[in-house]
Amino acid sequence: MISGRGSNLQALIAACAAEALPAKISLVISSHEEAPGLRIATAARIPTAVIPHRDRGAFAAVAKALLCDKRVEFVCLAGFMRLLDANFVEAWRDRMINIHPSLLPSFRGLHAQRQALAAGVRFAGCTVHFVRPELDSGPIIGQAVVPVHPGDDENRLSARILEVEHRLYPYVLRLIAEGRVRVVAERVEVAGVWVPDMAILNPQDILGDRLASFRG
Ligand code: GRF
């Protein structure tokens, strides 16, 4: 389900086409008639539907019927900019995920990248999580991190995050499609993965590093 540009949708379509993702996208629902992502879906021959989001309950009823009709098993929110009806969210519990451009639980809601810059954090990133009724909340499945550069503005930081979004979303969805992800007491366990044990510093001290190399 989308509301706009559709670049994450594009990443999922590409992953399915490359067989990097054992899934089939059966339907793209947009809350906006004008969403550019609809053209991306049409170009990939994926059926589309527009459900104007005037009323939460009405949206949920139409979406439910369409998803049922297409025998959809799993829902991905990819730039879907509306809060969903709580009953709808419950009906799709642990079968609906979202991508958000921050390291949740920091910076929920709109303009997450702007919020990160305002807070002066050294790292930003994105999160894929199961959806719960509260905005941008729910068990976290995966995150990708990027450094904040000095002089970053919202556009530059957003572009850096978007690049890793396009890697993270298909990757997480593949883990789910392979049956390796489960929610236990509102935390996510992923089978058969390795977690890197590395320290990443930002900023990195080039003066200190130079002194260290002088010392041999
Ligand atoms: C992405 O930054 C996503 O994290 C957020 O909305 C944006 C959607 O971009 N939820 P796109 O429509 O996938 O290009």
Side-chain angles (χ1 to χ4, degrees):
M1 306 211 304
I2 63 167
S3 298
R5 183 177 51 189
S7 70
N8 278 289
L9 167 65
Q10 176 81 75
L12 295 179
I13 292 172
C16 290
E19 292 177 19
L21 179 54
K24 178 181 168 223
I25 306 176
S26 330
L27 177 65
V28 171
I29 295 177
S30 173
S31 59
H32 284 88
E33 207 173 345
E34 319 270 276
L38 285 170
R39 287 199 294 275
I40 295 176
T42 304
R45 299 172 196 277
I46 299 169
T48 60
V50 176
I51 315 176
H53 197 285
R54 288 190 200 97
D55 167 270
R56 239 178 250 174
F59 180 95
V62 179
K64 182 181 171 187
L66 286 171
L67 295 171
C68 182
D69 180 55
K70 293 280 181 196
R71 298 170 189 271
V72 168
E73 294 171 321
F74 203 88
V75 174
C76 296
L77 307 183
F80 183 75
M81 301 304 281
R82 298 278 180 242
L83 204 55
L84 286 162
D85 172 78
N87 291 325
F88 181 86
V89 174
E90 272 315 312
W92 287 90
R93 191 181 181 89
D94 299 344
R95 295 188 301 145
M96 176 159 64
I97 59 177
N98 178 44
I99 186 157
H100 182 73
S102 79
L103 297 173
L104 289 172
S106 294
F107 316 131
R108 293 185 164 119
L110 291 176
H111 308 299
Q113 303 93 333
R114 193 186 300 173
Q115 295 182 53
L117 287 172
V121 293
R122 296 293 186 181
F123 288 101
C126 56
T127 303
V128 175
H129 62 95
F130 285 108
V131 177
R132 295 291 181 263
E134 307 77 44
L135 180 67
D136 297 326
S137 66
I140 291 171
I141 312 163
Q143 294 185 306
V145 175
V146 297
V148 177
H149 289 198
D152 264 356
D153 58 17
E154 199 179 345
N155 285 338
R156 286 178 49 179
L157 180 59
S158 300
R160 195 174 306 120
I161 294 173
L162 196 62
E163 253 189 76
V164 292
E165 288 188 40
H166 297 160
R167 290 174 59 185
L168 182 70
Y169 213 172
Y171 169 70
V172 163
L173 196 55
R174 176 170 63 78
L175 294 174
I176 293 170
E178 290 174 350
R180 294 161 61 181
V181 175
R182 60 186 197 133
V183 182
V184 181
E186 287 300 84
R187 281 164 183 253
V188 171
E189 290 178 2
V190 186
V193 284
W194 168 80
V195 177
D197 181 21
M198 59 173 132
I200 308 168
L201 297 179
N202 181 26
Q204 304 223 353
D205 180 8
I206 46 174
L207 293 180
D209 284 352
R210 237 180 261 157
L211 288 177
S213 63
F214 280 139
R215 283 195 295 267

